[in-house]
Amino acid sequence: TGPVSSECLGNLLRITLSAEYFEEKYLSFSVVDPSGVAWELDEAMASQCGYTVTYSNWSNIEFRASALSCHSHLERDVFTVTIQIKASHTPDMKNAATHWKSTSCHYGPQSPRQLVCESNYMEVSVRKEVPQTVKDFIQDESEDWTLAFPEAKAREASIWQIVFHQPEEKKALLVSDAWSAGYGLNTTDTRVLLRIPYTAEQIQLVEDQGITFSAVRSSTFYKQRWMILMVDTAVACPVDGVDYANKTIIWTVPKYIQLLSAGATSFKDVLVEAGVDLHKLSAKEMASRRYVLLNDLNAITVKIPIGAEGGYYKTSVSSGQHGTKYTINLFLEHQWEDNKWGLTKYTIIKEIETPFEPVELAITNNSNLSVRLMNVTVGMFLPDVELVNLTIEGVTVAVPEAVQHGCQIYEIRYANSSKAYVIQVPFDAPSIKKEYVSMDMRAYTLNVTLAFIIHPTSETFTVQVITVSTVKDAVLPSARGFCEGRNLHLIITRGNVDQNWLPFISDWHLTPEAAQKFSYSLRDNGSHLAISVPFLSSHVSYEDFHASGIKASLHVTLKDGITLANRKDFSISCRFSPSELIQCLPNGTVVITAVKLVGIADLDTSLLVLRDRECKPSLVTENTATFKFNVNTCGTNRRFNSTTMTYENEVLYFRPGNDTPVYRLKFACSYAIKQTVDVRYESKKNPPPSIKPGFGSLALSLKLFKEKSYSDPYRELEYPVVKYLREALYFEVELLQPEDERLELNLNDCWATNSQSQDSLPQWPILIKGCANSEDSYRTVFHEVNYSSRVKFPQHLKRFEVRMFTFVQGTTLLQE
């Protein structure tokens, strides 16, 4: 129990480090020899000395040591291993915490030959009392003595060497040379041991019954008193032999392979057992897990259903795709007798990992529309997955920093150790894309990329989360229009969906530059868009004309700023006096402007003529043609009465090849035959200017701003605004229409009520005849308005500051 636990497993010791304690820490292992010296462990030393460090069950760290490992203390039938573990939060191992673990284990009777296939090394140990060697085998290996004898004769009794058998040659290595080459060697009073890393130079890949083995054929020599002794230290471990069919792992291990059976002619199985995580399983336990163990004449087969108890799933990545692999650490022990070795014990530790299987992650939208909160759950994940960062609007931030972008992230853990992540973002956060859908619906879109890391492999993968919630909260822009003088005016009140909508007139984008080019007026203060267009202009449509007037229309379309799809259409239509089209000058010159009617789409204004078809327009636009001529030309008729002379003509349009006009605009100019004008004047000083009351249509706006700079008004969604008593309120009143620089806005009376009705009681005056209320404890303060990019006519605005107050009756607050 605790962060470090140990377990004796026959000839192996297992020490387990808890993932909960050592998670996210850098580790170093050292093995302490019987004299107390600590030897820091690396991969090469581990495979040479009989140590294995691996991960199991989602980042639990497992350390295994062989009974005959380099630094174990042997005493009778007990071996003791002591390790030192250092854990630090930094790779330089500063401020590391040190843990010690010493464990003694009993190991049972040793077979004459024991073979172990670990994950990082092969190990063979044999008794020094060598069995009688078969004659053919001795003759086959006679050269080994020739290679070994001269060295052995010249050395002390403890010096020995190894001869490796390669297909093309034999190579003899002294103990010191073999050790330098990475081989592990050990001897006790009764046994000789050779340990070979899978990366060793003398390794051969051999095939037996279709299964590939990693093998080394060697003879080990040692001198005991006056004798030179040789033992066969061949070893072979299966490299493959694993197949997958019908969601089942099938592991096949051939029996009595030739390399391990040289010189033997008869074989007898003594024991075949299998298990998981170095624990042998009984037949009943295997059946309950649906394991199958088959012992045939030539092979042992183990079948494990994928996903069965004993193994576990771990997260993996393939080509950026998230998925899983099923992993199980199988254990197989085969004991047999033959007429060469007697009893051989063959132990294989085999970690089997199934092929990658992609997994579709569930992304669940649990958004709460009532509190306007995007709530998304991503998962399930296995415990070996950790969310490390996320990318929002192209910016990558670590998980703890996500809150600064309006994003809250929670981890949910379940009873089976799996986990999920919950992402919460308010609808109004900058990272949420808001888009108008239709009618009164808006779509809120969360687009975030999550980056994960897998422990302990450090593989990474990403998951893109795109969720959309549709809310019935769209406020569309509205408009009102009016005509004044020779202009059409359209004032559009912004909604909450049209921030990126663009104004178009007849598929022509109305920008400030374009408006200036055509002498149009375009003003946008964020809450209102005001457009003014002259009656005679290229973008006004003319629908009909009668003696009563000409019907002119201005059509404005708001389009999506990205797709240019039509979002909202507005129009204003007015009738203008026919006199707007004609000027009768005193010198007899007539200026007449003809307009193109909507009903005659093919009319070419450049082809309009007067009665005398040689009289053509002097100025042509797409929608208008202007003629300038003398009343005595261009086929003009005249008629008289007692007081006036009237000149008449027509503007005509003929389609090619047709003498009947499809367009006819009649006009006339009348001049008085005799006129006397009496002018009376006298010289006197000009009277002082005075303002006379008048009536007209004014467009005004009243806004509340957040600061004295008057740069950031409160938006519609921010109302009602909550303020403390005596806290400043900054108001702005603006004259939107008409845009006449000669006008100046003056405020007369301004008062506050306890409800939305301006006539309700009680009331409190803020301004009285343009001045602050003298009875107010905190008087209204006026602020100067200067010209800026937003303020074209400072005289059209008034700004003042009021301190927050409330209505009371006696000592009781009045509330609506």
Side-chain angles (χ1 to χ4, degrees):
T1 60
V4 182
S5 59
S6 62
E7 185 178 12
C8 296
L9 299 161
N11 290 342
L12 289 171
L13 163 68
R14 175 164 61 197
I15 296 177
T16 303
L17 279 61
S18 168
E20 294 180 359
Y21 180 83
F22 290 98
E23 190 175 21
E24 297 182 359
K25 293 179 181 177
Y26 296 88
L27 301 178
S28 72
F29 291 87
S30 296
V31 187
V32 183
D33 64 19
S35 63
V37 178
W39 300 81
E40 187 170 353
L41 202 62
D42 58 20
E43 290 185 9
M45 181 178 173
S47 58
Q48 185 177 32
C49 285
Y51 306 115
T52 302
V53 178
T54 185
Y55 291 88
S56 64
N57 291 336
W58 306 305
S59 300
N60 280 341
I61 301 168
E62 188 174 291
F63 171 89
R64 295 196 294 267
S66 169
L68 294 179
S69 57
C70 294
H71 309 93
S72 62
H73 176 63
L74 299 173
E75 188 173 352
R76 296 183 180 177
D77 60 347
V78 174
F79 70 95
T80 301
V81 176
T82 302
I83 67 169
Q84 178 194 73
I85 306 159
K86 290 185 177 180
S88 174
H89 290 284
T90 57
D92 58 10
M93 301 304 292
K94 287 185 177 179
N95 303 317
T98 302
H99 304 264
W100 299 82
K101 188 69 176 179
S102 182
T103 304
S104 298
C105 295
H106 291 268
Y107 60 94
Q110 302 291 294
S111 302
R113 179 172 65 160
Q114 295 192 163
L115 305 165
V116 177
C117 298
E118 251 287 12
S119 61
N120 59 330
Y121 65 85
M122 302 183 291
E123 183 179 281
V124 54
S125 71
V126 297
R127 285 180 185 169
K128 287 183 177 179
E129 296 79 16
V130 181
Q132 178 62 43
T133 308
V134 179
K135 180 179 178 181
D136 293 341
F137 181 69
I138 291 293
Q139 290 177 349
D140 184 49
E141 309 302 330
S142 59
E143 295 180 18
D144 293 359
W145 292 98
T146 305
L147 290 168
F149 184 79
E151 293 290 341
K153 182 178 179 182
R155 302 288 177 174
E156 298 295 331
S158 60
I159 303 300
W160 38 290
Q161 68 178 4
I162 309 169
V163 176
F164 291 99
H165 300 257
Q166 296 285 336
E168 65 280 354
E169 64 174 352
K170 297 182 180 181
K171 185 175 182 179
L173 293 178
L174 295 176
V175 172
S176 58
D177 296 330
W179 187 265
S180 297
Y183 296 98
L185 305 127
N186 202 352
T187 181
T188 68
D189 293 340
T190 59
R191 303 192 73 81
V192 172
L193 176 139
L194 173 64
R195 189 176 297 110
I196 306 167
Y198 286 110
T199 57
E201 182 181 353
Q202 309 301 329
I203 290 260
Q204 302 175 55
L205 294 178
V206 299
E207 191 172 293
D208 194 303
Q209 300 181 40
I211 306 299
T212 302
F213 284 78
S214 181
V216 170
R217 186 181 175 199
S218 64
S219 300
T220 300
F221 294 81
Y222 63 97
K223 193 166 72 170
Q224 189 167 321
R225 295 182 181 178
W226 52 269
M227 293 185 298
I228 300 175
L229 300 178
M230 178 187 75
V231 291
D232 180 3
T233 48
V235 63
C237 292
V239 174
D240 50 26
V242 179
D243 291 316
Y244 309 94
N246 299 321
K247 297 194 175 183
T248 301
I249 299 169
I250 304 171
W251 180 31
T252 303
V253 180
K255 295 163 62 175
Y256 321 126
I257 68 171
Q258 193 277 331
L259 185 68
L260 302 180
S261 305
T265 56
S266 62
F267 304 92
K268 177 185 176 182
D269 282 340
V270 175
L271 179 71
V272 174
E273 290 184 316
V276 175
D277 293 329
L278 300 180
H279 288 285
K280 295 178 182 178
L281 297 177
S282 66
K284 183 178 179 181
E285 289 173 319
M286 295 188 72
S288 69
R289 300 184 182 193
R290 296 188 294 125
Y291 294 2
V292 175
L293 176 63
L294 301 176
N295 182 14
D296 297 329
L297 181 64
N298 297 316
I300 300 170
T301 302
V302 181
K303 296 182 179 181
I304 308 290
I306 294 176
E309 179 187 354
Y312 66 98
Y313 283 98
K314 62 183 181 181
T315 309
S316 185
V317 178
S318 177
S319 301
Q321 169 72 46
H322 161 266
T324 60
K325 294 180 180 180
Y326 175 75
T327 300
I328 188 167
N329 198 15
L330 291 178
F331 166 77
L332 178 65
E333 183 176 303
H334 179 205
Q335 296 185 30
W336 74 85
E337 290 181 342
D338 58 45
N339 60 344
K340 175 188 174 184
W341 287 99
L343 183 64
T344 294
K345 182 179 178 182
Y346 189 28
T347 302
I348 304 173
I349 301 170
K350 182 77 170 179
E351 184 180 55
I352 296 178
E353 185 178 88
T354 61
F356 175 84
E357 187 73 25
V359 174
E360 284 294 329
L361 286 170
I363 299 176
T364 308
N365 186 352
N366 301 310
S367 296
N368 190 330
L369 304 185
S370 62
V371 297
R372 298 180 61 79
L373 183 69
M374 190 77 78
N375 188 315
V376 181
T377 302
V378 184
M380 300 291 197
F381 295 101
L382 294 175
D384 55 357
V385 170
E386 179 188 2
L387 176 63
V388 290
N389 62 54
L390 58 159
T391 301
I392 309 173
E393 294 184 307
V395 178
T396 300
V397 296
V399 172
E401 301 169 2
V403 67
Q404 300 174 13
H405 295 258
C407 185
Q408 293 278 2
I409 298 178
Y410 305 96
E411 182 181 282
I412 302 175
R413 290 187 177 267
Y414 298 95
N416 63 355
S417 298
S418 63
K419 64 172 75 171
Y421 289 94
V422 176
I423 305 168
Q424 293 182 344
V425 187
F427 280 177
D428 299 318
S431 55
I432 298 293
K433 179 184 177 183
K434 306 167 189 67
E435 188 177 14
Y436 172 64
V437 180
S438 61
M439 299 298 288
D440 51 0
M441 306 296 290
R442 277 200 298 179
Y444 292 81
T445 303
L446 171 66
N447 187 343
V448 59
T449 300
L450 308 179
F452 297 88
I453 189 170
I454 303 170
H455 298 293
T457 61
S458 296
E459 290 182 285
T460 60
F461 65 95
T462 60
V463 176
Q464 187 175 23
V465 177
I466 301 177
T467 56
V468 180
S469 294
T470 305
V471 184
K472 191 175 182 180
D473 67 349
V475 178
L476 294 175
S478 58
R480 63 182 184 84
F482 60 93
C483 296
E484 181 184 44
R486 295 174 57 87
N487 296 303
L488 294 92
H489 304 278
L490 193 64
I491 300 175
I492 300 173
T493 302
R494 295 284 193 182
N496 62 6
V497 298
D498 55 320
Q499 290 79 9
N500 298 317
W501 293 3
L502 305 175
F504 279 76
I505 302 178
S506 303
D507 292 329
W508 173 71
H509 184 197
L510 183 58
T511 63
E513 296 76 17
Q516 185 177 12
K517 176 183 177 182
F518 286 90
S519 298
Y520 297 171
S521 174
L522 176 67
R523 296 180 64 195
D524 190 348
N525 63 4
S527 62
H528 293 82
L529 177 67
I531 302 171
S532 297
V533 175
F535 158 63
L536 291 175
S537 65
S538 301
H539 299 95
V540 172
S541 300
Y542 306 99
E543 298 178 15
D544 61 51
F545 49 75
H546 302 281
S548 60
I550 303 164
K551 185 178 180 181
S553 299
L554 173 64
H555 299 278
V556 175
T557 300
L558 295 182
K559 295 190 176 187
D560 189 285
I562 299 175
T563 65
L564 295 182
N566 288 358
R567 292 302 190 186
K568 188 73 174 176
D569 294 315
F570 302 105
S571 64
I572 171 67
S573 298
C574 297
R575 283 200 174 273
F576 289 86
S577 170
S579 62
E580 298 289 347
L581 299 179
I582 190 168
Q583 295 181 62
C584 302
L585 302 180
N587 64 357
T589 300
V590 178
V591 180
I592 178 70
T593 300
V595 295
K596 179 179 179 179
L597 296 179
V598 173
I600 311 176
D602 61 344
L603 188 147
D604 184 349
T605 55
S606 65
L607 300 181
L608 288 170
V609 294
L610 298 178
R611 284 176 179 166
D612 181 349
R613 298 189 186 183
E614 295 299 320
C615 292
K616 302 185 185 308
S618 58
L619 179 65
V620 174
T621 68
E622 184 179 355
N623 288 335
T624 64
T626 301
F627 297 83
K628 186 176 182 180
F629 63 98
N630 188 274
V631 293
N632 296 316
T633 62
C634 297
T636 306
N637 294 333
R638 62 182 176 179
R639 52 187 175 83
F640 300 88
N641 62 26
S642 59
T643 59
T644 60
M645 179 179 293
T646 302
Y647 295 88
E648 298 177 336
N649 207 324
E650 294 175 304
V651 179
L652 306 169
Y653 178 72
F654 301 90
R655 287 195 174 98
N658 195 328
D659 287 334
T660 302
V662 296
Y663 177 97
R664 173 178 275 124
L665 173 63
K666 294 182 178 182
F667 61 92
C669 281
S670 295
Y671 294 90
I673 295 176
K674 184 178 181 180
Q675 184 175 12
T676 301
V677 178
D678 295 328
V679 178
R680 180 181 179 183
Y681 70 95
E682 60 182 271
S683 177
K684 65 179 180 178
K685 293 183 179 180
N686 292 328
S690 61
I691 300 175
K692 295 182 179 180
F695 299 91
S697 178
L698 298 178
L700 298 171
S701 72
L702 173 63
K703 294 180 183 176
L704 176 60
F705 283 77
K706 298 177 181 178
E707 298 177 295
K708 191 175 181 179
S709 62
Y710 288 88
S711 59
D712 188 10
Y714 283 98
R715 303 289 181 180
E716 181 178 348
L717 292 178
E718 295 176 285
Y719 285 96
V721 176
V722 178
K723 292 284 185 179
Y724 294 102
L725 287 175
R726 300 180 185 174
E727 195 172 355
L729 301 171
Y730 300 98
F731 291 93
E732 180 189 89
V733 181
E734 181 182 8
L735 174 63
L736 299 176
Q737 291 291 338
E739 289 185 344
D740 190 340
E741 62 182 359
R742 296 174 299 174
L743 297 179
E744 180 175 354
L745 175 66
N746 289 288
L747 303 180
N748 195 33
D749 293 319
C750 180
W751 64 94
T753 66
N754 198 35
S755 71
Q756 294 185 3
S757 172
Q758 65 182 21
D759 298 320
S760 66
L761 296 174
Q763 297 182 355
W764 182 255
I766 294 171
L767 297 177
I768 301 175
K769 296 183 179 179
C771 298
N773 184 357
S774 59
E775 296 180 10
D776 205 330
S777 301
Y778 296 89
R779 293 195 178 185
T780 302
V781 178
F782 283 94
H783 292 296
E784 184 179 358
V785 182
N786 296 314
Y787 179 86
S788 68
S789 59
R790 190 174 75 84
V791 179
K792 185 176 179 182
F793 302 114
Q795 65 270 29
H796 287 188
L797 285 88
K798 283 291 183 289
R799 291 172 176 168
F800 56 93
E801 174 184 338
V802 179
R803 295 290 173 170
M804 184 65 189
F805 64 94
T806 186
F807 288 98
V808 295
Q809 183 172 359
T811 59
T812 305
L813 292 177
L814 295 180
Q815 296 183 354
E816 176 65 9

